[in-house]
Amino acid sequence: MEFVRKARDLYLDTGTRFPRRIIWAMGGLIKYAAAKVNVELGLLSSDVGGAIMKVSQELMSGKYDNEVVLDVYQTGSGTGLNMNINEIIAKHAYLDLGIKVHPNDHVNLGQSSNDVVPTAIRVAAVMEYVESLRPAINDLIVSLRRRINEFSDAVKPGRTHLRDALPITLGQELSGYLDAFLRDVQLLDYVINFVKGLPIGGTAVGTGFNTHPNFGDEVIKVINEVSGLDFIKVNPFMSMKLLTDLVMLSGAIRVLSLDLHRFGQDIRLMFSGPFTGLNEVDIPTQSEVAGSSIMPGKTNPVTVESLLQAIAQILGLISQSSMPQCLGGSLS
């Protein structure tokens, strides 16, 4: 892994490693799809292509995560990550399968860091949304609907400026959040369609130089077969140069985060007390964790506060949402 050894001497080492989903998308799915297509197009021998595919599947499963050693903060178009992945695949193809595989000529055949890395970021983002965020929001919506029905007759004070105002039911109060989260899901579902546009096949500057004209379309077909998602090929001159579709996604996540933040703050306020606060709602599960080392029986809204901490991290990361622009290597 000559490139990686040299890169580690030159790149930053903040200790920040690539998330599992990026490795899954880049190291596994895209390299698997590229090798499969190159074999079908007659550009790779079946033994070399088969070895790449096998190791790529192992990368997808997380087997070699500890070998993806380069820092997230690296120069250029993500060449460091791409070469790190290429060299892992070539190494294990030879050590484990006895097949000599070249990291550039074989694993990276028909590709460039300039189209592979932006493709991987998008594939990872969409899969993370579909498998993690969307189901979590759905669970919240189902739970809120149940609670709205349960508390439809539970009358409590409405408040303005934290002072008592006209009466309201707890069900009515929660219904405002339900509709907000339904709106947020609509926005996310709309925006995620833009993120599904992939530039693979554009190679270095978007022209597709040095690759088969059908390569990009066929790779996306394989990606869709494996992932079960409906990625599409878009103008690589746009999607390699501009990652503003991801900024749109981060903006939609920011909207959801702000709604969740207000929701968490309100629940925490209503849970305050029990004797000198509002004490309007109970969160029974909070008693599972001691709220004090000196006051026996004290409970704190730890679940809600964990949510607020997660939101603070999300909003902090989103404030850097223009950063993906520096990952594009194409100036065409």
Side-chain angles (χ1 to χ4, degrees), residues 3-20:
F3 177 91
V4 173
R5 280 194 293 271
K6 292 179 179 178
R8 293 188 78 176
D9 292 335
L10 298 172
Y11 289 176
L12 292 174
D13 188 9
T14 68
T16 310
R17 297 293 178 256
F18 284 94
R20 165 100 275 278

Side-chain angles (χ1 to χ4, degrees), residues 151 153-174 262 266 269-270 277-281:
F151 299 127
D153 297 324
V155 179
K156 63 179 288 292
R159 290 185 178 83
T160 59
H161 306 270
L162 294 181
R163 299 286 286 175
D164 294 348
L166 294 172
I168 189 173
T169 69
L170 182 55
Q172 288 173 322
E173 193 162 17
L174 294 176
R262 178 58 190 269
D266 280 359
L269 183 61
M270 287 190 283
L278 299 183
N279 194 33
E280 291 181 346
V281 301

